[in-house]
């Protein structure tokens, strides 16, 4: 059979990019920094008289150090005034004499009533602080509102508690003490030093890089001797404070992560000349055609486990590939960079990053969970030479 002498055939293939182009990213790097804080407000000391009668002024000055986006410490001095109040019930006529002789004092009636006392104190202490906003939502120096918790303790130094001269109704107090009323068993004079423990919450509202306004509430507990009344339980006072915090020095720096340069593959045009001649026998071959797997790298910001908006297109491309290839499966592996955090935190971050991609594929793009294998490596493996690129979930489909 005759075939035309010459048949020209041209095969044209377009070049392709092997790596998706990415925009350069700006990353915030936290700095340790010092700060000072000045606050004022009110204190409520737990007692038995009306609420308004137990409110006193309160001030606090602190110097602190933020060691990381989550953990910090501060040295604070809280001071001014505490109050207490006691309600007395009428002592019956058969009450035993104060001398403890066992005799009964006939006809003795001590009047009922209430009396109040106030005294001064200063309470230095140390607190460990926890930034809950950064712990839950990730580090963001531009966040306007931050919620923190703290725990700590110190020494309360009190003076000016004098039952004879400082009580509002000293005569009433003296009458009850004279007949053996236990209300004043812990009444004290002079200067007393007692340990205290406290915990609280603080809300900061950012005004500028260096200044924020804040609200704080804290609860403080001391021994039963603090307010002078024997109650067989711990004494408490609560502070509500507002003030200003000034950061000393930059809280963070920025760095730019350059996008990796795409690798271009060039396919040359092939011109083939075909002539009529017998076809030689085809020799069997054991050559194996290796197909390159489909891959997308979903990058995350520092301490983040939520897929950023600009990375969502990569998850979309993985979903499109799986839908176009019904028999294909994908392995999603999470990683964390070794330069920040610690192995425990990085293990959690890598797991949550892989899970975030899995959730998008199954819930948003309706890919069957059976087609997705999820794994995580923490910081034990660093797939990229550039440290910040290891905050990634790598998706490989076959």
């Amino acid at each position: 059979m005759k075939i035309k002498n010459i048949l020209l055939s041209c095969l044209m293939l377009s070049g392709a990019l092997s790596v998706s182009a990415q925009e350069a990213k700006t990353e915030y790097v936290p700095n340790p920094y010092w700060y000072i804080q000045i606050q004022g407000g009110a204190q409520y000391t737990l007692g038995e008289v009306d609420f308004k009668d137990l409110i006193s002024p309160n001030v606090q000055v602190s110097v602190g150090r933020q060691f990381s986006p989550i953990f910090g410490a501060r040295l604070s001095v809280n001071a001014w005034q505490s109050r207490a109040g006691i309600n007395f019930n009428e002592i019956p006529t058969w009450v035993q004499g104060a001398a403890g002789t066992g005799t009964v004092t006939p006809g003795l009636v001590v009047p009922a009533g209430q009396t109040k006392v106030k005294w001064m104190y200063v309470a230095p202490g140390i607190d460990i602080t926890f930034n809950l906003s950064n712990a839950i939502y990730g580090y963001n120096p531009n966040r306007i509102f931050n919620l923190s918790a703290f725990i700590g303790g110190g020494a309360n130094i009190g003076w000016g508690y004098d039952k004879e001269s400082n009580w509002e109704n000293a005569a009433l107090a003296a009458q009850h003490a004279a007949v053996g009323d236990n209300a004043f068993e812990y009444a004290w004079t002079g200067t007393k030093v007692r340990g205290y423990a406290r915990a609280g919450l603080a809300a900061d509202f950012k005004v500028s890089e260096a200044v924020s306004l804040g609200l704080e509430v804290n609860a403080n507990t001391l021994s039963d001797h603090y307010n002078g009344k024997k109650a067989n339980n711990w004494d408490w006072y609560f502070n509500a404070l507002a003030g200003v915090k000034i950061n000393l020095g930059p809280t963070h720096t920025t760095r730019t992560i350059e996008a990796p340069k795409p690798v271009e593959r060039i396919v040359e045009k092939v011109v083939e000349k075909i002539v009529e001649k017998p076809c030689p026998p085809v020799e069997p071959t054991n050559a194996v055609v290796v197909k390159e797997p489909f891959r997308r790298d979903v990058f995350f910001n520092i301490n983040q486990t939520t897929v950023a908006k600009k990375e969502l297109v990569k998850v979309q491309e993985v979903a499109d590939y799986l839908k176009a290839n019904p028999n294909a499966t994908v392995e999603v592996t999470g990683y964390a960079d070794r330069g920040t955090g610690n192995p425990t935190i990085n293990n959690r971050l890598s797991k949550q990053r892989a899970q975030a991609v899995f959730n998008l594929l199954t819930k948003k793009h309706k890919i069957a969970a059976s087609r997705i294998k999820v794994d995580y490596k923490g910081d034990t493996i660093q797939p990229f030479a550039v440290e910040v690129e290891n905050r990634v979930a790598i998706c490989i489909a076959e």
Side-chain angles (χ1 to χ4, degrees), residues 215-271:
L215 299 173
E216 177 181 323
V217 291
N218 59 63
N220 304 259
T221 185
L222 310 88
S223 74
D224 193 22
H225 292 250
Y226 185 61
N227 65 12
K229 179 186 176 183
K230 182 178 181 180
N232 296 316
N233 52 39
W234 291 88
D235 289 338
W236 290 83
Y237 61 83
F238 306 87
N239 297 324
L241 303 164
V244 60
K245 182 165 75 173
I246 302 174
N247 300 325
L248 306 177
T251 63
H252 69 280
T253 56
T254 59
R255 62 182 175 186
T256 302
I257 305 172
E258 297 295 337
K261 294 182 179 179
V263 179
E264 184 177 359
R265 293 178 182 171
I266 301 174
V267 181
E268 296 180 352
K269 180 173 71 175
V270 178
V271 179

Side-chain angles (χ1 to χ4, degrees), residues 350-393:
S350 67
K351 180 179 180 180
Q352 292 177 349
R353 287 166 178 166
Q355 190 65 38
V357 175
F358 173 85
N359 291 340
L360 284 173
L361 289 172
T362 56
K363 296 179 181 179
K364 181 177 180 181
H365 298 292
K366 308 303 180 184
I367 302 299
S370 60
R371 300 177 65 190
I372 306 170
K373 179 181 178 182
V374 176
D375 196 6
Y376 57 95
K377 304 296 183 182
D379 58 15
T380 59
I381 297 176
Q382 302 288 272
F384 296 101
V386 179
E387 183 176 284
V388 296
E389 293 181 0
N390 292 311
R391 303 162 190 158
V392 67

Side-chain angles (χ1 to χ4, degrees), residues 27 55 85 152 221 226 234 289 313 325 374:
E27 182 182 57
I55 301 295
T221 185
Y226 185 61
W234 291 88
V289 178
V313 65
N325 299 272
V374 176

Side-chain angles (χ1 to χ4, degrees), residues 111-127:
Q114 71 174 21
T115 185
K116 297 183 286 290
V117 66
K118 58 187 177 182
W119 63 98
M120 306 299 291
Y121 79 94
V122 60
I126 296 177
D127 297 317

Side-chain angles (χ1 to χ4, degrees), residues 29 32 85 104 133 162 178 183 187 192 204 211 215 230 241 269 347 386:
V29 181
V104 173
S133 297
D162 190 334
K192 296 294 182 181
D204 290 311
V211 179
L215 299 173
K230 182 178 181 180
L241 303 164
K269 180 173 71 175
N347 197 55
V386 179

Side-chain angles (χ1 to χ4, degrees), residues 321-323 325-331 367-373:
Y321 179 87
L322 294 174
K323 291 176 181 178
N325 299 272
N327 295 324
T329 60
V330 63
E331 182 172 351
I367 302 299
S370 60
R371 300 177 65 190
I372 306 170
K373 179 181 178 182

